[in-house]
């Protein structure tokens, strides 16, 4: 289920509530990053703090898998999987959740990539591969 197809705001708590009511197996939030500095580039994925436990379907494992698979398809710079305990969509969802920062819009070269259909497809394939891999682990 795609929560937003247009640039319209949906509250953070509402996003988590919708996901929980839908009883989804996984939750992924896709973003593009910005910073004052214009030289940063790469993909980072945010997760609720925890350990990567390959026996449990947790958010940290999900974030790690999605991150790794997205790096494979894009060859982007690895900005790592980072713990974020305060992010509502990671903390309030009742299923494994990940927030993927697909790149930095404040970097002109990376912005061109993010606006490129072919690169967007690579991002989508990487995330889809990660989702599929996680779902297979959860069987």
């Amino acid at each position: 289920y795609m929560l937003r197809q247009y640039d319209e705001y949906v509250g953070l708590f509402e996003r988590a509530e919708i996901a929980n009511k839908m009883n989804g197996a996984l939750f992924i939030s896709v973003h593009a990053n910005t910073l004052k500095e214009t030289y940063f580039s790469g993909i980072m994925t945010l997760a609720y703090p925890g350990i990567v436990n390959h026996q449990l379907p947790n958010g940290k494992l999900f974030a790690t898998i999605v991150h790794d698979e997205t790096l494979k398809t894009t060859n982007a710079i690895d900005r790592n999987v980072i713990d974020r305990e305060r992010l509502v969509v990671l903390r309030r969802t009742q299923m494994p959740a990940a927030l993927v920062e697909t790149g930095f819009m404040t970097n002109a070269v990376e912005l061109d990539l993010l606006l490129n259909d072919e690169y967007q497809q690579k991002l989508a394939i990487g995330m889809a591969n990660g989702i599929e891999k996680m779902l297979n682990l959860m069987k």
Side-chain angles (χ1 to χ4, degrees):
Y1 178 81
M2 184 181 293
L3 185 61
R4 299 183 331 166
Q5 294 182 10
Y6 306 100
D7 190 14
E8 57 187 320
Y9 183 74
V10 178
L12 300 175
F13 287 92
E14 185 180 357
R15 294 174 200 192
E17 185 179 319
I18 291 168
N20 293 337
K21 283 182 180 176
M22 294 192 70
N23 200 29
L26 299 169
F27 179 91
I28 189 166
S29 190
V30 181
H31 297 257
N33 226 334
T34 62
L35 285 176
K36 250 196 268 185
E37 297 85 359
T38 60
Y39 55 87
F40 278 97
S41 63
I43 294 173
M44 70 172 62
T45 304
L46 309 178
Y48 192 76
I51 59 169
V52 177
N53 182 337
H54 293 278
Q55 303 304 311
L56 299 173
N58 60 39
K60 184 70 173 231
L61 175 60
F62 179 43
T64 301
I65 291 170
V66 167
H67 184 78
D68 291 346
E69 292 297 320
T70 305
L71 289 175
K72 283 181 194 175
T73 59
T74 61
N75 293 313
I77 290 172
D78 183 356
R79 291 275 170 206
N80 300 313
V81 175
I82 300 168
D83 288 345
R84 289 287 195 266
E85 67 182 36
R86 295 176 132 177
L87 291 180
V88 173
V89 295
L90 301 178
R91 180 170 49 100
R92 293 289 187 118
T93 47
Q94 296 169 350
M95 68 286 297
L99 190 153
V100 180
E101 294 283 4
T102 57
F104 289 83
M105 295 187 300
T106 44
N107 177 314
V109 172
E110 195 151 271
L111 178 59
D112 285 344
L113 280 175
L114 292 169
L115 294 171
N116 179 284
D117 290 344
E118 188 177 309
Y119 189 75
Q120 289 175 13
Q121 187 68 23
K122 289 178 182 181
L123 287 165
I125 289 168
M127 287 183 267
N129 289 345
I131 291 166
E132 185 175 17
K133 194 170 186 179
M134 183 67 175
L135 289 171
N136 285 333
L137 286 173
M138 294 169 68
K139 286 183 182 179

